[in-house]
Amino acid sequence: MRASLLVVAKAPVPGAAKTRLTPPATPGQAAEIAAAALLDTLDAVLRTPGVRPVVALAGDLSAACRRAELRAALRRCLVLPQRGADFAERLANAHADTARRHGLPVLQIGMDTPQVTPELLDSSVGALAEHDAVLGPAEDGGWWALGLRDATRARALRDVPMSRNDTGVRTASALRDKGIGMLPTLSDVDTIDDALAVAGNLPGTRFAEAVREAAR
Protein backbone atom coordinates (compact mmCIF):
# COMPACT_ATOMS: atom_id res chain seq x y z
CA MET A 1 0.00 0.00 0.00
CA ARG A 2 1.26 3.47 -0.93
CA ALA A 3 -0.80 5.70 1.37
CA SER A 4 -3.90 6.12 3.47
CA LEU A 5 -6.56 8.09 1.60
CA LEU A 6 -8.42 10.05 4.25
CA VAL A 7 -11.82 11.68 3.75
CA VAL A 8 -12.81 14.21 6.41
CA ALA A 9 -16.60 14.21 6.40
CA LYS A 10 -19.68 15.40 8.23
CA ALA A 11 -22.86 13.34 8.42
CA PRO A 12 -25.32 14.91 5.95
CA VAL A 13 -28.06 15.76 8.43
CA PRO A 14 -30.75 18.28 7.37
CA GLY A 15 -30.16 21.60 9.05
CA ALA A 16 -26.52 20.78 9.83
CA ALA A 17 -24.99 20.03 6.42
CA LYS A 18 -24.23 22.46 3.60
CA THR A 19 -26.18 25.25 5.26
CA ARG A 20 -24.71 27.84 2.87
CA LEU A 21 -26.81 26.26 0.12
CA THR A 22 -29.96 27.47 1.92
CA PRO A 23 -31.68 29.31 0.47
CA PRO A 24 -32.48 28.58 -2.32
CA ALA A 25 -32.16 24.91 -1.34
CA THR A 26 -34.17 23.66 1.62
CA PRO A 27 -32.27 22.08 4.54
CA GLY A 28 -33.34 18.66 3.30
CA GLN A 29 -32.16 19.38 -0.24
CA ALA A 30 -28.85 20.73 1.04
CA ALA A 31 -28.31 17.53 3.04
CA GLU A 32 -29.18 15.43 -0.02
CA ILE A 33 -26.54 17.33 -2.00
CA ALA A 34 -24.02 16.75 0.79
CA ALA A 35 -24.87 13.04 0.91
CA ALA A 36 -24.52 12.72 -2.86
CA ALA A 37 -21.19 14.53 -2.80
CA LEU A 38 -19.88 12.22 -0.09
CA LEU A 39 -21.09 9.08 -1.87
CA ASP A 40 -19.54 10.14 -5.18
CA THR A 41 -16.31 11.00 -3.37
CA LEU A 42 -16.23 7.61 -1.64
CA ASP A 43 -16.79 5.89 -4.99
CA ALA A 44 -13.64 7.57 -6.32
CA VAL A 45 -11.66 6.77 -3.17
CA LEU A 46 -12.67 3.10 -3.21
CA ARG A 47 -11.59 2.79 -6.85
CA THR A 48 -8.15 4.33 -6.26
CA PRO A 49 -5.43 1.66 -6.40
CA GLY A 50 -2.91 1.04 -3.68
CA VAL A 51 -4.53 3.01 -0.86
CA ARG A 52 -6.24 2.29 2.44
CA PRO A 53 -9.54 4.22 2.59
CA VAL A 54 -10.24 6.09 5.83
CA VAL A 55 -13.12 8.36 6.82
CA ALA A 56 -12.90 10.74 9.78
CA LEU A 57 -16.57 11.29 10.50
CA ALA A 58 -18.42 13.88 12.57
CA GLY A 59 -22.14 14.02 13.29
CA ASP A 60 -25.01 11.59 13.69
CA LEU A 61 -25.11 9.19 10.75
CA SER A 62 -28.42 7.71 11.99
CA ALA A 63 -30.11 11.06 11.19
CA ALA A 64 -28.36 11.52 7.84
CA CYS A 65 -29.82 11.49 4.34
CA ARG A 66 -29.02 8.33 2.36
CA ARG A 67 -27.78 6.69 5.54
CA ALA A 68 -28.23 3.15 4.19
CA GLU A 69 -26.07 3.90 1.14
CA LEU A 70 -23.52 5.67 3.29
CA ARG A 71 -23.31 2.82 5.78
CA ALA A 72 -22.73 0.37 2.91
CA ALA A 73 -19.87 2.49 1.54
CA LEU A 74 -18.37 3.13 4.97
CA ARG A 75 -18.21 -0.59 5.71
CA ARG A 76 -15.41 -0.67 3.13
CA CYS A 77 -13.43 2.02 4.97
CA LEU A 78 -11.77 2.47 8.32
CA VAL A 79 -14.08 4.94 10.08
CA LEU A 80 -12.62 7.13 12.82
CA PRO A 81 -14.38 9.74 14.93
CA GLN A 82 -13.28 13.32 14.52
CA ARG A 83 -11.85 14.84 17.68
CA GLY A 84 -10.80 18.36 18.54
CA ALA A 85 -12.16 21.73 19.59
CA ASP A 86 -12.15 23.32 16.13
CA PHE A 87 -11.86 22.28 12.50
CA ALA A 88 -8.10 22.82 12.24
CA GLU A 89 -7.50 20.65 15.32
CA ARG A 90 -9.83 17.96 13.98
CA LEU A 91 -7.88 17.90 10.71
CA ALA A 92 -4.55 17.56 12.50
CA ASN A 93 -5.90 14.80 14.72
CA ALA A 94 -7.41 12.96 11.76
CA HIS A 95 -4.00 12.84 10.07
CA ALA A 96 -2.35 11.62 13.27
CA ASP A 97 -5.01 9.00 13.99
CA THR A 98 -4.88 7.67 10.44
CA ALA A 99 -1.10 7.43 10.41
CA ARG A 100 -1.16 5.71 13.80
CA ARG A 101 -3.47 3.01 12.44
CA HIS A 102 -1.75 2.36 9.11
CA GLY A 103 1.79 3.74 9.35
CA LEU A 104 1.57 5.17 5.83
CA PRO A 105 1.73 8.62 4.24
CA VAL A 106 -1.68 10.32 4.33
CA LEU A 107 -3.52 12.11 1.53
CA GLN A 108 -6.53 13.92 2.97
CA ILE A 109 -9.51 15.31 1.07
CA GLY A 110 -12.96 16.52 2.06
CA MET A 111 -16.47 15.90 0.77
CA ASP A 112 -16.76 19.22 -1.09
CA THR A 113 -15.14 18.11 -4.34
CA PRO A 114 -17.31 15.32 -5.79
CA GLN A 115 -15.55 15.83 -9.13
CA VAL A 116 -12.46 13.95 -7.89
CA THR A 117 -11.67 10.84 -9.91
CA PRO A 118 -9.64 7.73 -9.13
CA GLU A 119 -7.12 8.94 -11.70
CA LEU A 120 -6.70 12.31 -9.98
CA LEU A 121 -6.43 10.71 -6.55
CA ASP A 122 -3.95 8.14 -7.88
CA SER A 123 -1.70 10.84 -9.32
CA SER A 124 -2.01 12.90 -6.13
CA VAL A 125 -0.89 9.93 -4.03
CA GLY A 126 1.92 9.37 -6.53
CA ALA A 127 3.13 12.93 -6.00
CA LEU A 128 3.93 12.01 -2.39
CA ALA A 129 6.70 9.78 -3.74
CA GLU A 130 8.43 12.95 -4.98
CA HIS A 131 7.48 15.49 -2.30
CA ASP A 132 7.28 15.47 1.49
CA ALA A 133 3.99 17.37 1.20
CA VAL A 134 1.43 18.06 -1.52
CA LEU A 135 -1.38 20.62 -1.54
CA GLY A 136 -4.40 20.89 -3.81
CA PRO A 137 -5.58 24.53 -4.02
CA ALA A 138 -9.25 25.43 -4.23
CA GLU A 139 -10.50 28.26 -6.39
CA ASP A 140 -11.83 30.15 -3.35
CA GLY A 141 -8.36 30.36 -1.79
CA GLY A 142 -8.63 27.30 0.40
CA TRP A 143 -7.49 23.79 -0.42
CA TRP A 144 -9.16 20.50 -1.32
CA ALA A 145 -6.29 18.07 -0.65
CA LEU A 146 -3.35 17.84 1.70
CA GLY A 147 -0.83 15.03 1.53
CA LEU A 148 1.96 14.44 4.04
CA ARG A 149 4.59 11.75 4.26
CA ASP A 150 4.95 12.57 7.95
CA ALA A 151 1.46 13.03 9.39
CA THR A 152 2.79 14.76 12.50
CA ARG A 153 3.40 17.82 10.34
CA ALA A 154 -0.37 18.30 10.20
CA ARG A 155 -0.04 19.88 13.64
CA ALA A 156 0.88 23.05 11.77
CA LEU A 157 -2.78 23.33 10.70
CA ARG A 158 -3.73 24.30 14.24
CA ASP A 159 -2.23 27.74 13.58
CA VAL A 160 -3.96 28.25 10.21
CA PRO A 161 -7.30 30.13 10.04
CA MET A 162 -9.73 27.95 8.10
CA SER A 163 -12.42 28.88 5.54
CA ARG A 164 -10.69 32.06 4.39
CA ASN A 165 -9.47 33.23 1.01
CA ASP A 166 -5.87 32.94 2.21
CA THR A 167 -6.15 29.54 3.91
CA GLY A 168 -4.29 27.81 1.09
CA VAL A 169 -1.38 30.25 1.14
CA ARG A 170 -1.22 30.13 4.94
CA THR A 171 -1.26 26.32 4.90
CA ALA A 172 1.64 26.15 2.46
CA SER A 173 3.55 28.64 4.61
CA ALA A 174 2.79 26.75 7.82
CA LEU A 175 4.25 23.58 6.36
CA ARG A 176 7.53 25.48 5.86
CA ASP A 177 8.39 23.45 2.80
CA LYS A 178 9.40 25.38 -0.29
CA GLY A 179 9.46 22.13 -2.21
CA ILE A 180 5.80 21.38 -1.57
CA GLY A 181 4.14 19.72 -4.55
CA MET A 182 1.11 21.50 -5.94
CA LEU A 183 -1.86 19.50 -7.20
CA PRO A 184 -4.47 20.73 -9.70
CA THR A 185 -6.81 23.50 -8.56
CA LEU A 186 -10.45 22.47 -8.07
CA SER A 187 -13.66 24.29 -7.23
CA ASP A 188 -15.21 23.11 -3.98
CA VAL A 189 -18.93 23.31 -3.26
CA ASP A 190 -19.88 25.99 -0.77
CA THR A 191 -22.69 27.91 -2.48
CA ILE A 192 -25.50 26.98 -4.86
CA ASP A 193 -23.57 28.62 -7.71
CA ASP A 194 -20.60 26.36 -6.92
CA ALA A 195 -22.90 23.35 -6.86
CA LEU A 196 -24.45 24.20 -10.22
CA ALA A 197 -21.05 24.77 -11.83
CA VAL A 198 -19.58 21.50 -10.54
CA ALA A 199 -22.74 19.50 -11.31
CA GLY A 200 -22.68 20.75 -14.91
CA ASN A 201 -19.48 18.79 -15.45
CA LEU A 202 -20.71 15.62 -13.72
CA PRO A 203 -23.70 14.36 -15.73
CA GLY A 204 -25.24 11.15 -14.49
CA THR A 205 -23.78 11.34 -10.99
CA ARG A 206 -25.64 11.33 -7.69
CA PHE A 207 -24.36 14.84 -7.09
CA ALA A 208 -25.67 16.22 -10.37
CA GLU A 209 -29.07 14.64 -9.77
CA ALA A 210 -29.30 16.06 -6.23
CA VAL A 211 -28.38 19.54 -7.45
CA ARG A 212 -30.89 19.28 -10.31
CA GLU A 213 -33.66 18.41 -7.84
CA ALA A 214 -32.76 21.37 -5.62
CA ALA A 215 -32.68 23.77 -8.59
CA ARG A 216 -36.17 22.89 -9.82
Side-chain angles (χ1 to χ4, degrees):
M1 289 292 172
R2 298 178 297 157
S4 296
L5 186 40
L6 167 65
V7 182
V8 174
K10 183 178 184 180
V13 177
K18 285 295 167 199
T19 55
R20 289 176 61 186
L21 299 180
T22 60
T26 67
Q29 289 171 332
E32 286 285 345
I33 290 171
L38 179 53
L39 285 164
D40 286 346
T41 298
L42 291 175
D43 276 355
V45 167
L46 291 167
R47 290 164 51 207
T48 302
V51 300
R52 293 190 183 277
V54 183
V55 177
L57 186 66
D60 182 7
L61 193 62
S62 67
C65 293
R66 303 196 183 195
R67 51 190 171 272
E69 291 176 78
L70 286 167
R71 283 186 173 125
L74 291 172
R75 279 196 289 270
R76 301 174 63 190
C77 308
L78 171 64
V79 180
L80 302 172
Q82 290 184 27
R83 56 186 185 88
D86 57 29
F87 186 52
E89 187 175 0
R90 292 197 299 272
L91 288 176
N93 288 336
H95 276 260
D97 293 346
T98 298
R100 191 176 299 114
R101 293 295 293 269
H102 290 155
L104 296 167
V106 177
L107 178 71
Q108 178 248 312
I109 63 174
M111 55 186 283
D112 294 336
T113 50
Q115 69 270 48
V116 295
T117 63
E119 294 76 19
L120 175 58
L121 296 175
D122 180 52
S123 64
S124 299
V125 168
L128 278 173
E130 302 175 8
H131 303 279
D132 289 336
V134 296
L135 190 69
E139 289 183 0
D140 63 2
W143 49 267
W144 66 271
L146 173 63
L148 297 169
R149 286 191 197 174
D150 177 2
T152 63
R153 296 179 64 200
R155 289 179 296 193
L157 296 174
R158 293 172 177 166
D159 298 322
V160 177
M162 294 290 154
S163 302
R164 293 181 13 168
N165 60 10
D166 62 351
T167 294
V169 172
R170 285 174 174 264
T171 300
S173 177
L175 292 173
R176 296 185 177 88
D177 186 347
K178 293 182 179 178
I180 190 170
M182 300 306 293
L183 304 177
T185 300
L186 297 184
S187 174
D188 53 18
V189 176
D190 291 321
T191 67
I192 197 66
D193 288 340
D194 298 333
L196 289 166
V198 171
N201 294 316
L202 298 174
T205 61
R206 299 180 188 88
F207 180 77
E209 177 61 21
V211 172
R212 185 181 68 81
E213 288 293 326
R216 281 182 173 179

Coordinates of all heavy atoms in Angstrom, one line a residue, residues 169-214:
V169 N -2.7 29.6 1.0 CA -1.4 30.3 1.1 C -0.8 30.1 2.6 O 0.4 29.7 2.7 CB -1.5 31.7 0.8 CG1 -0.1 32.4 1.1 CG2 -1.8 31.9 -0.7
R170 N -1.7 30.3 3.5 CA -1.2 30.1 4.9 C -0.9 28.7 5.3 O 0.1 28.4 6.0 CB -2.3 30.6 5.9 CG -2.4 32.1 5.9 CD -3.6 32.6 6.8 NE -3.7 34.0 7.0 CZ -3.2 34.7 8.0 NH1 -2.6 34.0 9.0 NH2 -3.3 35.9 8.1
T171 N -1.6 27.7 4.7 CA -1.3 26.3 4.9 C 0.1 26.0 4.3 O 0.9 25.3 5.0 CB -2.4 25.4 4.3 OG1 -3.6 25.7 4.9 CG2 -2.0 24.0 4.5
A172 N 0.3 26.4 3.1 CA 1.6 26.1 2.5 C 2.8 26.8 3.3 O 3.8 26.2 3.5 CB 1.7 26.7 1.0
S173 N 2.5 28.0 3.8 CA 3.5 28.6 4.6 C 3.8 27.9 5.9 O 4.9 27.8 6.4 CB 3.1 30.1 4.9 OG 4.0 30.7 5.7
A174 N 2.7 27.4 6.5 CA 2.8 26.8 7.8 C 3.6 25.4 7.7 O 4.2 25.0 8.7 CB 1.4 26.5 8.4
L175 N 3.5 24.8 6.5 CA 4.3 23.6 6.4 C 5.8 23.8 6.2 O 6.5 22.9 6.3 CB 3.7 22.8 5.1 CG 2.3 22.3 5.3 CD1 1.8 21.7 4.0 CD2 2.3 21.2 6.4
R176 N 6.1 25.1 5.9 CA 7.5 25.5 5.9 C 8.3 24.6 4.9 O 9.4 24.1 5.2 CB 8.2 25.5 7.3 CG 7.6 26.5 8.2 CD 8.4 26.5 9.5 NE 7.8 27.5 10.4 CZ 6.9 27.3 11.3 NH1 6.3 26.1 11.4 NH2 6.4 28.2 12.1
D177 N 7.7 24.3 3.8 CA 8.4 23.4 2.8 C 8.3 24.1 1.4 O 7.3 24.0 0.8 CB 7.7 22.1 2.8 CG 8.4 21.1 1.9 OD1 9.3 21.5 1.1 OD2 8.1 19.9 2.0
K178 N 9.4 24.7 1.0 CA 9.4 25.4 -0.3 C 9.3 24.4 -1.4 O 8.9 24.8 -2.5 CB 10.7 26.2 -0.4 CG 10.8 27.4 0.5 CD 12.0 28.2 0.3 CE 12.1 29.4 1.2 NZ 13.3 30.2 1.1
G179 N 9.6 23.1 -1.2 CA 9.5 22.1 -2.2 C 8.1 21.4 -2.2 O 8.0 20.4 -2.8
I180 N 7.1 22.0 -1.6 CA 5.8 21.4 -1.6 C 5.3 21.2 -3.0 O 5.4 22.0 -3.9 CB 4.8 22.2 -0.7 CG1 3.5 21.5 -0.5 CG2 4.6 23.6 -1.4 CD1 2.6 22.2 0.5
G181 N 4.7 20.0 -3.2 CA 4.1 19.7 -4.6 C 2.7 20.2 -4.7 O 1.9 20.0 -3.8
M182 N 2.4 20.9 -5.8 CA 1.1 21.5 -5.9 C 0.3 20.6 -6.9 O 0.7 20.2 -8.0 CB 1.2 22.9 -6.5 CG 2.0 23.9 -5.6 SD 1.4 24.0 -3.9 CE -0.2 24.7 -4.2
L183 N -0.9 20.3 -6.4 CA -1.9 19.5 -7.2 C -2.8 20.4 -8.0 O -2.8 21.6 -7.8 CB -2.7 18.6 -6.2 CG -1.9 17.7 -5.3 CD1 -2.9 17.0 -4.3 CD2 -1.0 16.8 -6.1
P184 N -3.6 19.9 -8.9 CA -4.5 20.7 -9.7 C -5.4 21.5 -8.8 O -5.8 21.0 -7.7 CB -5.2 19.7 -10.6 CG -4.3 18.6 -10.7 CD -3.6 18.5 -9.4
T185 N -5.8 22.7 -9.3 CA -6.8 23.5 -8.6 C -8.2 23.0 -8.9 O -8.5 22.8 -10.1 CB -6.7 25.0 -9.0 OG1 -5.3 25.4 -8.6 CG2 -7.7 25.9 -8.2
L186 N -9.1 22.9 -7.9 CA -10.4 22.5 -8.1 C -11.4 23.5 -7.4 O -11.0 24.3 -6.6 CB -10.7 21.1 -7.4 CG -10.0 19.9 -8.0 CD1 -10.5 18.6 -7.2 CD2 -10.1 19.7 -9.5
S187 N -12.6 23.5 -7.9 CA -13.7 24.3 -7.2 C -14.4 23.4 -6.2 O -14.9 22.4 -6.6 CB -14.6 24.8 -8.3 OG -15.7 25.5 -7.7
D188 N -14.4 23.9 -4.9 CA -15.2 23.1 -4.0 C -16.6 23.7 -3.9 O -16.9 24.7 -4.6 CB -14.6 23.1 -2.6 CG -14.2 24.4 -2.1 OD1 -14.7 25.4 -2.6 OD2 -13.4 24.5 -1.1
V189 N -17.5 23.0 -3.2 CA -18.9 23.3 -3.3 C -19.3 23.9 -1.9 O -19.5 23.3 -0.9 CB -19.8 22.0 -3.5 CG1 -21.3 22.4 -3.4 CG2 -19.4 21.5 -4.9
D190 N -19.4 25.3 -2.0 CA -19.9 26.0 -0.8 C -21.2 26.6 -1.0 O -22.1 26.7 -0.1 CB -18.9 27.1 -0.4 CG -17.6 26.5 0.1 OD1 -17.6 25.5 0.9 OD2 -16.5 27.0 -0.2
T191 N -21.5 27.2 -2.2 CA -22.7 27.9 -2.5 C -23.5 27.2 -3.6 O -22.9 26.3 -4.2 CB -22.4 29.3 -3.0 OG1 -21.7 29.3 -4.2 CG2 -21.5 30.1 -2.0
I192 N -24.7 27.6 -3.8 CA -25.5 27.0 -4.9 C -24.9 27.2 -6.2 O -25.0 26.4 -7.1 CB -27.0 27.5 -4.8 CG1 -27.9 26.5 -5.6 CG2 -27.1 28.9 -5.3 CD1 -28.0 25.1 -5.0
D193 N -24.2 28.4 -6.4 CA -23.6 28.6 -7.7 C -22.4 27.6 -7.9 O -22.2 27.1 -9.0 CB -23.1 30.1 -7.8 CG -24.2 31.1 -8.0 OD1 -25.3 30.7 -8.4 OD2 -24.0 32.3 -7.7
D194 N -21.7 27.4 -6.8 CA -20.6 26.4 -6.9 C -21.2 25.0 -7.3 O -20.7 24.3 -8.2 CB -19.9 26.2 -5.6 CG -19.2 27.5 -5.1 OD1 -18.8 28.3 -5.9 OD2 -19.0 27.6 -3.9
A195 N -22.3 24.7 -6.6 CA -22.9 23.3 -6.9 C -23.4 23.2 -8.3 O -23.1 22.2 -8.9 CB -24.1 23.2 -5.9
L196 N -24.0 24.2 -8.8 CA -24.4 24.2 -10.2 C -23.3 24.1 -11.2 O -23.4 23.3 -12.2 CB -25.3 25.4 -10.5 CG -26.7 25.5 -9.9 CD1 -27.2 26.9 -9.9 CD2 -27.6 24.5 -10.5
A197 N -22.2 24.8 -10.9 CA -21.1 24.8 -11.8 C -20.4 23.4 -11.8 O -20.1 22.8 -12.9 CB -20.0 25.8 -11.4
V198 N -20.2 22.8 -10.6 CA -19.6 21.5 -10.5 C -20.5 20.4 -11.1 O -20.1 19.6 -11.9 CB -19.2 21.2 -9.1 CG1 -18.8 19.7 -8.9 CG2 -18.1 22.1 -8.6
A199 N -21.8 20.5 -10.8 CA -22.7 19.5 -11.3 C -22.8 19.5 -12.8 O -23.0 18.4 -13.4 CB -24.1 19.8 -10.7
G200 N -22.6 20.7 -13.4 CA -22.7 20.8 -14.9 C -21.6 19.9 -15.6 O -21.8 19.5 -16.8
N201 N -20.5 19.6 -14.9 CA -19.5 18.8 -15.4 C -19.5 17.3 -15.0 O -18.6 16.6 -15.3 CB -18.1 19.4 -15.1 CG -17.9 20.7 -15.7 OD1 -18.2 20.9 -16.9 ND2 -17.4 21.7 -14.9
L202 N -20.6 17.0 -14.3 CA -20.7 15.6 -13.7 C -22.0 15.0 -14.1 O -22.8 14.5 -13.2 CB -20.6 15.7 -12.2 CG -19.2 16.2 -11.6 CD1 -19.3 16.3 -10.1 CD2 -18.1 15.3 -12.0
P203 N -22.4 14.9 -15.4 CA -23.7 14.4 -15.7 C -23.8 12.9 -15.3 O -22.8 12.1 -15.4 CB -23.7 14.5 -17.3 CG -22.3 14.6 -17.7 CD -21.6 15.3 -16.6
G204 N -25.0 12.5 -14.8 CA -25.2 11.1 -14.5 C -24.8 10.7 -13.1 O -25.0 9.6 -12.7
T205 N -24.2 11.7 -12.3 CA -23.8 11.3 -11.0 C -24.9 11.6 -10.0 O -25.8 12.3 -10.2 CB -22.5 12.2 -10.6 OG1 -22.9 13.6 -10.6 CG2 -21.4 11.9 -11.6
R206 N -24.7 11.0 -8.8 CA -25.6 11.3 -7.7 C -25.7 12.8 -7.4 O -26.7 13.4 -7.1 CB -25.2 10.6 -6.4 CG -25.2 9.1 -6.5 CD -24.7 8.6 -5.1 NE -24.5 7.1 -5.0 CZ -23.3 6.6 -5.3 NH1 -22.3 7.4 -5.7 NH2 -23.1 5.3 -5.2
F207 N -24.5 13.4 -7.4 CA -24.4 14.8 -7.1 C -25.1 15.7 -8.1 O -25.9 16.6 -7.7 CB -22.9 15.3 -7.1 CG -22.7 16.7 -6.7 CD1 -22.8 17.1 -5.4 CD2 -22.4 17.6 -7.7 CE1 -22.6 18.5 -5.1 CE2 -22.2 19.0 -7.4 CZ -22.4 19.4 -6.1
A208 N -25.0 15.4 -9.4 CA -25.7 16.2 -10.4 C -27.2 16.1 -10.2 O -27.9 17.1 -10.4 CB -25.2 15.8 -11.8
E209 N -27.6 14.9 -9.9 CA -29.1 14.6 -9.8 C -29.6 15.4 -8.5 O -30.7 16.0 -8.6 CB -29.3 13.2 -9.6 CG -30.8 12.8 -9.4 CD -31.7 13.2 -10.5 OE1 -31.3 13.5 -11.6 OE2 -33.0 13.4 -10.2
A210 N -28.9 15.4 -7.4 CA -29.3 16.1 -6.2 C -29.4 17.6 -6.4 O -30.3 18.2 -6.0 CB -28.4 15.7 -5.1
V211 N -28.4 18.1 -7.2 CA -28.4 19.5 -7.5 C -29.5 19.9 -8.4 O -30.2 20.9 -8.2 CB -27.0 20.0 -8.0 CG1 -27.1 21.4 -8.5 CG2 -25.9 19.8 -7.0
R212 N -29.8 19.0 -9.4 CA -30.9 19.3 -10.3 C -32.2 19.3 -9.6 O -33.1 20.2 -9.8 CB -30.9 18.2 -11.4 CG -32.0 18.4 -12.5 CD -31.9 17.3 -13.5 NE -32.4 16.0 -12.9 CZ -33.7 15.7 -12.7 NH1 -34.6 16.6 -13.1 NH2 -34.0 14.6 -12.2
E213 N -32.4 18.4 -8.6 CA -33.7 18.4 -7.8 C -33.8 19.7 -7.0 O -34.9 20.3 -6.9 CB -33.7 17.2 -6.9 CG -33.9 15.8 -7.6 CD -35.3 15.7 -8.2 OE1 -36.2 16.3 -7.6 OE2 -35.4 15.1 -9.3
A214 N -32.7 20.2 -6.4 CA -32.8 21.4 -5.6 C -33.0 22.6 -6.5 O -33.6 23.6 -6.0 CB -31.5 21.5 -4.8

